[in-house]
Amino acid sequence: MKVLGISLGHDTNFCLLEDGKITEVIEAERFFRQKRYKLHCISNSDEPHASGFQYTKLSELKLFLKNIIEKWGAEYDYIAVQNQKREEEFENLKSLMSEFSYKEIFNLNHHLCHAAGSFFTSPFKESLILSYDGSGNDGNTVIFRAQNSKIEYLKSYPLKFGNSYNNLGYICNINPDISGTSSGKTMGLTSYGKVVNEWIPFFEKHILSYEKKQPQQGSDINPYGRCHTINWDYISEIEEIKPFINQDGTSTLSITSQMAQNICKTMQAAWTNCVLRLLNQYSDISKNLCITGGCALNGIANYQIEEQGIFENQHFVPNPTDCGLSVGAALFVYHQKSNTQFSGEKEYFSPYLGEEIYDKDKLTELKNIYKNISFEAESIPGKLASLICEDKIIGVIRGRYEIGPRALGNRSILCNSQNKEMRDILNHKVKNREWYRPFAPVCTSEDASKYFTNNKDIPYMSVICYTKDEYKKELPSITHVDGSCRLQTVTKSQHNFLYKVLKEIEKQNSYPIVLNTSFNPAGEPIVNYYEAALKMLEETDLDYVLIEDTFFWFKNENSLQ
């Protein structure tokens, strides 16, 4: 059976499913080099259409559909679409797909696709599923029960966990991305604060009653959340916070202030409390829990879910945000239409399902611009490890990109976890981002529990655990100010190359750990163009770029032997 999955709207993505397995995923943002990029056909007009934070063009969707025919073919058994159930757009899409051949096309609910993408990649025969994010046509926070090949709605809550957390960034004057999202940056700031217990009841009321305020008047589009109206409900009743609220409802808080940091920390604690109380109501339904939707990126809450032991087993995916909806749509249709009974995946769900580099044809030309040297494949892990231990900063591009928002080794910047200056160097001279934002470690799976507090593998950086006390000083660049870290664990079968690099690093500095951050130009998605990646050698303090088995450099003398 061959199924084409399509998700339109922000984080537009497409996937190919063949014989029950996802074989490739396309994320539009990687092609257009703009985070959260959206494709639409809300209108059949070729004129640019204002849609939230950007203008969409019908010609771009047509281009993608044409490329899909060239890449995956035009004949499918089924097509599975997620577009928040916009019926007119669905009809327009069918018209645009006149060159495609298929038995049936489906228009599926938003959270149902999230749920399917989570459950049908899990090792469970049955499970409870929590799907929660900003909003969906079928709710904001939805509980499902899944068994065999069936997924049923248990309850939909009006709780807007995603919106309330995002609003926190505006309260603290954190700069959002182009789509208006600040949640990831906000999570990093929580580590600098302290929980003010007296504030917790106010923040919990704020979360449980949260409604988006009418946005301010602006232009046709609203990039970077420029029209966002802050919701201060219940928070404005806290005496210590009142002086920071302007008459027009804007905030005077600064991310450098202890007040903003305490607000972040307290809000995170209250937010986690609310999530845990919700899940506790369903502890008798299953011992398994799948967590998905944009809020599944909150690794702080995920750690508490594991630690509380409400469920014996948890399953996360690398692409829980809307960038994974085509995968969920395709899997749902496959399991509805096939005669097989789902009994849990026996293998872990590989995130390395993205596309190859787009500008491969430019590599020869780029080799004439940048200094480079190639080596035998088997020698690369050792040479890369040596550079890392010499405090070099190396961008790595190998194979297909990892799907989802986390770099997991194929589009990563790797450097020394033991250099206490490395975080500041990366933030200011390579990533060009806020001073307080942390960096993640990747560690061999079998060694992780020696250095970190994780009790289970974390292959997708889904859970924020802690560096153990005795290793905090030894691993300063990957340990956040409160001792936390967004760990990735890796086995040889999951990523043989990265595993070998870690073992080579261990030979040289005693720790099978490396700092791993996403390889992307400032403000852009994870890179998928050689030219953009190599340009960072000129524009940042990146020392080398490793493309497959070739090292490139620009400014510095080569230290490779």
Side-chain angles (χ1 to χ4, degrees):
M1 186 187 297
K2 186 178 179 184
V3 183
L4 172 63
I6 299 174
S7 178
L8 300 180
H10 67 77
D11 300 283
T12 292
N13 52 99
F14 306 82
C15 83
L16 175 64
L17 180 149
E18 295 178 295
D19 299 324
K21 300 291 183 183
I22 302 296
T23 57
E24 191 166 27
V25 177
I26 300 171
E27 296 180 8
E29 68 166 29
R30 308 294 175 94
F31 181 83
F32 290 104
R33 295 179 60 183
Q34 179 185 299
K35 287 184 177 181
R36 318 296 301 278
Y37 205 82
K38 58 169 71 177
L39 299 176
H40 273 309
C41 53
I42 293 173
S43 166
N44 273 325
S45 169
D46 288 326
E47 294 297 314
H49 177 80
S51 177
F53 57 87
Q54 71 169 78
Y55 290 100
T56 61
K57 299 176 183 177
L58 195 64
S59 59
E60 293 178 343
L61 178 55
K62 289 178 178 178
L63 171 66
F64 262 66
L65 294 174
K66 179 182 176 183
N67 289 345
I68 284 170
I69 289 176
E70 293 176 356
K71 191 179 182 74
W72 297 339
E75 295 184 2
Y76 299 87
D77 293 291
Y78 302 101
I79 295 179
V81 179
Q82 186 288 143
N83 76 330
Q84 298 276 20
K85 283 278 189 159
R86 291 181 291 266
E87 292 298 336
E88 185 176 350
E89 182 180 46
F90 182 60
E91 294 302 318
N92 291 341
L93 177 64
K94 288 194 287 185
S95 297
L96 291 176
M97 299 183 73
S98 58
E99 294 182 38
F100 288 77
S101 170
Y102 51 88
K103 298 175 186 175
E104 199 171 354
I105 184 169
F106 298 87
N107 191 5
L108 303 169
N109 286 333
H110 179 88
H111 282 284
L112 182 62
C113 293
H114 274 314
S118 181
F119 178 64
F120 291 127
T121 58
S122 79
F124 311 140
K125 292 182 181 179
E126 56 79 31
S127 182
L128 190 80
I129 306 169
L130 167 63
S131 177
Y132 62 151
D133 59 12
S135 64
N137 67 286
D138 52 343
N140 303 96
T141 299
V142 186
I143 302 289
F144 297 87
R145 183 177 185 177
Q147 189 163 14
N148 297 325
S149 296
K150 294 184 178 179
I151 298 176
E152 61 175 319
Y153 288 82
L154 289 186
K155 190 163 184 178
S156 178
Y157 294 87
L159 300 171
K160 297 179 173 61
F161 282 107
N163 292 332
S164 63
Y165 201 94
N166 198 50
N167 182 70
L168 174 61
Y170 291 90
I171 287 174
C172 296
N173 277 308
I174 293 171
N175 293 326
D177 67 18
I178 190 169
S179 72
T181 300
S182 60
S183 301
K185 295 182 180 184
T186 304
M187 208 184 321
L189 191 61
T190 64
S191 296
Y192 289 84
K194 297 179 180 178
V195 174
V196 182
N197 289 319
E198 294 79 12
W199 296 355
I200 290 283
F202 296 95
F203 278 99
E204 288 188 356
K205 288 178 184 176
H206 172 77
I207 294 161
L208 295 174
S209 66
Y210 187 88
E211 294 291 342
K212 289 183 77 171
K213 299 293 185 183
Q214 186 69 27
Q216 303 163 36
Q217 286 296 109
S219 59
D220 290 346
I221 59 173
N222 175 27
Y224 303 100
R226 291 171 186 157
C227 299
H228 180 83
T229 300
I230 296 174
N231 181 330
W232 291 98
D233 290 354
Y234 296 105
I235 299 174
S236 61
E237 297 177 19
I238 300 171
E239 289 298 327
E240 299 96 317
I241 296 176
K242 285 181 179 180
F244 298 94
I245 306 173
N246 290 324
Q247 284 191 340
D248 64 357
T250 56
S251 170
T252 62
L253 287 161
S254 165
I255 57 174
T256 58
S257 71
Q258 191 64 53
M259 177 60 73
Q261 294 162 11
N262 289 350
I263 287 172
C264 280
K265 185 76 168 184
T266 307
M267 173 72 171
Q268 174 69 62
W271 196 90
T272 302
N273 289 348
C274 293
V275 174
L276 292 173
R277 279 202 299 269
L278 175 66
L279 289 173
N280 261 309
Q281 299 175 51
Y282 296 93
S283 60
D284 60 340
I285 287 181
S286 176
K287 66 179 182 180
N288 304 316
L289 174 67
C290 295
I291 306 171
T292 187
C295 294
L297 292 178
N298 195 301
I300 298 171
N302 291 344
Y303 183 66
Q304 288 303 314
I305 290 169
E306 287 192 345
E307 289 293 293
Q308 293 294 318
I310 304 169
F311 302 88
E312 287 183 28
N313 309 299
Q314 299 81 26
H315 174 67
F316 303 95
V317 290
N319 53 345
T321 67
D322 287 8
C323 72
L325 287 169
S326 68
V327 170
L331 285 168
F332 181 82
V333 168
Y334 170 78
H335 284 285
Q336 298 309 300
K337 291 296 182 178
S338 69
N339 294 320
T340 58
Q341 286 293 306
F342 182 73
S343 58
E345 279 294 335
K346 304 301 183 283
E347 301 175 0
Y348 110 114
F349 179 60
S350 172
Y352 309 105
L353 297 171
E355 294 185 282
E356 298 276 355
I357 284 286
Y358 294 126
D359 58 347
K360 275 189 171 184
D361 59 329
K362 285 190 175 181
L363 190 57
T364 301
E365 175 189 337
L366 292 166
K367 282 184 174 180
N368 293 324
I369 299 172
Y370 298 92
K371 303 168 193 173
N372 63 88
I373 185 170
S374 300
F375 295 96
E376 293 295 321
E378 60 269 18
S379 69
I380 297 294
K383 293 184 182 298
L384 178 55
S386 295
L387 290 174
I388 289 167
C389 292
E390 293 168 11
D391 291 328
K392 301 300 183 184
I393 303 171
I394 304 100
V396 175
I397 295 178
R398 295 179 69 83
R400 297 157 64 178
Y401 65 72
E402 48 275 82
I403 58 175
R406 309 296 190 213
L408 301 171
N410 279 14
R411 301 289 185 275
S412 289
I413 292 175
L414 303 178
C415 46
N416 194 352
S417 62
Q418 295 179 259
N419 183 339
K420 65 180 181 181
E421 308 296 331
M422 194 58 75
R423 190 182 77 170
D424 288 340
I425 294 169
L426 282 172
N427 272 333
H428 299 308
K429 296 184 178 181
V430 178
K431 302 281 283 186
N432 294 311
R433 64 182 202 175
E434 293 83 357
W435 56 270
Y436 64 86
R437 294 174 66 185
F439 290 99
V442 55
C443 180
T444 49
S445 172
E446 69 271 22
D447 299 305
S449 61
K450 176 180 176 181
Y451 306 102
F452 306 102
T453 62
N454 65 302
N455 295 315
K456 301 176 181 179
D457 281 353
I458 313 174
Y460 313 125
M461 289 189 188
S462 306
V463 177
I464 295 176
C465 58
Y466 292 85
T467 304
K468 289 186 173 178
D469 289 343
E470 60 267 37
Y471 295 108
K472 287 176 181 176
K473 288 185 179 179
E474 301 299 320
L475 301 167
S477 69
I478 54 84
T479 301
H480 207 9
V481 66
D482 62 346
S484 64
C485 60
R486 195 179 70 206
L487 173 66
Q488 175 194 356
T489 60
V490 65
T491 65
K492 191 173 183 179
S493 63
Q494 289 168 352
H495 200 304
N496 185 43
F497 175 79
L498 185 55
Y499 184 87
K500 286 181 178 179
V501 172
L502 292 170
K503 298 310 281 186
E504 289 290 335
I505 290 173
E506 184 180 28
K507 291 178 187 177
Q508 298 185 40
N509 72 10
S510 302
Y511 293 90
I513 300 167
V514 69
L515 185 157
N516 173 20
T517 187
S518 59
F519 191 179
N520 60 291
E524 292 191 20
I526 295 173
V527 72
N528 206 44
Y529 288 89
Y530 286 147
E531 187 171 22
L534 292 171
K535 194 72 175 173
M536 288 181 67
L537 290 170
E538 298 181 55
E539 297 177 347
T540 75
D541 279 10
L542 196 66
D543 294 303
Y544 292 90
V545 171
L546 173 62
I547 295 175
E548 303 301 341
D549 300 328
T550 302
F551 287 92
F552 291 78
W553 69 98
F554 184 76
K555 296 176 185 174
N556 305 319
E557 290 301 315
N558 177 30
S559 60
L560 284 161
Q561 301 297 325

